[in-house]
Amino acid sequence: RMAGPPARTAPGARQQVQGGEGRPEPATGATPARDTRAPFRFDYERFRRSLRHPLRFRKRSVLLSGFIQFYSIFIQFCSSQMMKFAWDNYKQYALGKNELRPLTKNGHIGNMFGGLRGATVIDALDTLYIMELEEEFQEAKKWVEKSFDLNVNGEASLFEVNIRYIGGLLATYYLTGEEVFKSKALELGEKLLPAFNTPTGIPRGVINLGRQDTLKAPFFSPCSGMSWSWGWASAGSSILAEFGTLHLEFLHLSELSGNPVFAEKASASHLVLNRVEKPQGLYPNFLSPVTGNWVQHHVSIGGLGDSFYEYLIKSWLMSDKKDLEAKKMYDDALEAIEKHLVKKSAGGLTYIAEWRGGILDHKMGHLACFSGGMIALGAEDAGEERRQRHMDLAAEITNTCHESYARSDTKLGPEAFRFDAGSEAMATRLSERYYILRPEVVESYMYLWRLTHDPKYRQWGWEVVKALEKHCRVEAGFSGIRDVYTTTPTHDNMQQSFFLAETLKYLYLLFCEDDVLSLDDWVFNTEAHPLPVNHTNFKAAVQH
Ligand code: DMJ
């Protein structure tokens, strides 16, 4: 049994998914989005009243503040100006494309989002709003209202569409109460449901977003609503960090629509994962959606595994600490990680190694650096001994990730760093020296700051601001760099949408007061889109 959204209407009653007029019936063979058409209204005002800290973003007056506050307001201002610069250039050269190419001053579409456009717009919305960049927020909103087209036909990553588009739209709805964001999120959520049509209910990674209700080109293809596993994933398997990173958004889709189907789909994976035997308590990264068995024994808290663990602890927090199943899964997983993967280098740096069928790979990816923040967040409610141990572990990992930045010439960290062959927190392979504007290290600084108020985290954040300005700012935006170990790096010509969604948002929040998006009220999805904690004590609705 999982803590989930309420079943608001009698079983069998017809409910409506809000905002979708004339919603299409799914094509034969597709997962029905349940025929649910009775009126349902999410009470936005009630939700706002349920927040423990009223929403406020306004900065304190500089005149009324002391030196410390002046310093933090100044850095807030710097990060909001970086956001404005990133947005203005995207708007000027790439509006409607997925990302900005800041050197060539054009847009990039890529193939992750199945024909959807405007990934940067959707990822930027809540950051613009939180930073009170009002004019820019209105520009982004106008694009969503007028140009964001969901009638597309193409192969999308279920994970990426969920964390960036659905997460970004849901967060902006909760912050603003503007219906357009809710209705787009729900419409898109329905398009993802066919991916769950597998024998185990574990979704496949790729879904065709083509409409399932029409035979007319260009929105219909024989593949509409079909799903696949990634070609590169072993033997048709699904990836832990992908099927395990749906829960937060899908629970909110059910919450806003009154339709439990989303929560039910996302919860199926916990059932399968609780049944399957785990090698030494660890979760391998590849699982067959057909048999529900592991396909390969590679375990990582970085890429391919990362946000699965994050969503376990955040599911518990988002349920107002009622989802005890998710909490237990998290506690057990962390215990196995502590036992088998956490290591200390000769130089005294704590790191989390990867595991390949019993053999340790002494490497940490930049992606794995989110874990400092996650472990600190999860430590909160544990007993005294465990709480202290986890806070220490979180601080040590965050320190190691800071070292990976501090030991580079640019003061930005590489994609992966190693602890072997005499190396300590540095990339040893040419192919791992790049930095693509990733957020994970500043994400951990933000959580550790909020939970300890140790000023070093703000100091480290300021170092990142300076390094980004020095090495990543180019004439028309911010760009990733190809080698963090040279002071004259070449640029990769890509301003990733997560730079606006996450890196700049976390830097900004690091210098805000704690009640700006308080951790009592909000959990950040893995793309840093804030989703509210369910304080209203809804009954558990998802039954196994
Ligand atoms: C983001 O899209 C998300 O944080 C995801 O969980 C991992 N990768 C990127 C940023 O590095």
Side-chain angles (χ1 to χ4, degrees), residues 159-160 163-164 306-307 367 438-440 498 502 526-527:
F159 166 80
E160 296 291 354
I163 67 168
R164 301 193 200 208
D306 49 8
S307 42
L367 289 167
R438 285 199 193 277
E440 292 77 17
F498 53 67
E502 299 190 74
T526 195
E527 190 78 359

Side-chain angles (χ1 to χ4, degrees), residues 188-488:
L188 196 47
E190 284 200 9
K191 281 173 167 285
L192 301 183
L193 291 174
F196 296 82
N197 276 343
T198 64
T200 57
I202 299 265
R204 297 186 192 277
V206 189
I207 168 121
N208 187 294
L209 294 179
R211 278 174 67 169
Q212 298 143 43
D213 65 325
T214 173
L215 290 176
K216 288 196 197 108
F219 304 127
F220 176 82
S221 88
C223 300
S224 295
M226 277 175 65
S227 64
W228 295 267
S229 299
W230 293 107
W232 49 266
S234 323
S237 53
S238 295
I239 292 156
L240 185 68
E242 296 199 332
F243 67 78
T245 308
L246 299 163
H247 220 79
L248 303 184
E249 298 80 2
F250 274 52
L251 253 64
H252 275 292
L253 290 175
S254 281
E255 179 68 29
L256 292 179
S257 64
N259 187 342
V261 69
F262 302 104
E264 286 168 2
K265 296 287 179 197
S267 300
S269 64
H270 286 189
L271 196 65
V272 176
L273 289 171
N274 278 323
R275 220 168 22 210
V276 64
E277 200 180 317
K278 288 163 274 295
Q280 311 201 43
L282 295 165
Y283 286 84
N285 291 335
F286 297 97
L287 187 106
S288 162
V290 175
T291 64
N293 290 323
W294 306 116
V295 176
Q296 223 197 54
H297 281 187
H298 171 219
V299 177
S300 155
I301 194 134
L304 305 175
D306 49 8
S307 42
F308 160 69
Y309 306 98
E310 176 185 358
Y311 271 38
L312 291 178
I313 192 65
K314 288 183 175 174
S315 291
W316 175 68
L317 290 168
M318 199 179 85
S319 71
D320 217 7
K321 306 188 178 170
K322 294 188 180 64
D323 187 346
L324 298 178
E325 179 185 60
K327 176 71 161 60
K328 179 163 174 17
M329 289 170 77
Y330 173 80
D331 286 342
D332 292 349
L334 187 58
E335 200 179 309
I337 288 168
E338 278 185 280
K339 195 159 161 202
H340 301 292
L341 306 186
V342 172
K343 298 283 157 200
K344 206 172 259 250
S345 71
L349 295 177
T350 302
Y351 61 97
I352 307 184
E354 299 194 2
W355 189 87
R356 295 175 192 278
I359 309 226
L360 286 184
D361 189 0
H362 297 271
K363 140 189 176 198
M364 250 183 105
H366 193 290
L367 289 167
C369 285
F370 86 99
S371 60
M374 175 188 75
I375 294 168
L377 199 56
E380 241 194 309
D381 245 47
E384 189 46 38
E385 182 277 325
R386 199 177 154 114
R387 202 191 84 81
Q388 195 50 53
R389 197 175 79 236
H390 285 180
M391 282 310 288
D392 291 347
L393 178 60
E396 285 171 27
I397 288 169
T398 306
N399 178 60
T400 300
C401 291
H402 172 253
E403 284 300 317
S404 78
Y405 276 47
R407 293 173 190 210
S408 79
D409 295 17
T410 52
K411 305 299 166 209
L412 294 165
E415 180 66 3
F417 45 93
R418 292 177 184 267
F419 300 86
D420 51 18
S423 156
E424 293 257 336
M426 289 186 70
T428 53
R429 303 179 185 184
L430 276 178
S431 61
E432 293 171 343
R433 290 168 157 238
Y434 63 90
Y435 171 69
I436 55 167
L437 305 173
R438 285 199 193 277
E440 292 77 17
V441 175
V442 290
E443 174 180 350
S444 284
Y445 295 168
M446 194 281 290
Y447 283 111
L448 268 294
W449 161 257
R450 287 244 172 142
L451 297 166
T452 67
H453 289 147
D454 184 333
K456 77 180 175 203
Y457 297 112
R458 281 188 161 177
Q459 180 54 39
W460 292 351
W462 175 230
E463 286 164 13
V464 176
V465 169
K466 287 189 292 183
L468 287 168
E469 283 289 315
K470 190 163 172 194
H471 299 293
C472 299
R473 183 191 275 260
V474 294
E475 193 191 324
F478 287 90
S479 167
I481 56 178
R482 295 193 196 280
D483 186 353
V484 295
Y485 300 112
T486 164
T487 45
T488 50

Side-chain angles (χ1 to χ4, degrees), residues 22-42:
R23 191 162 299 286
E25 295 295 330
T28 322
T31 301
R34 286 218 177 146
D35 186 12
T36 52
R37 300 193 195 280
F40 174 84
R41 195 180 76 84
F42 176 78

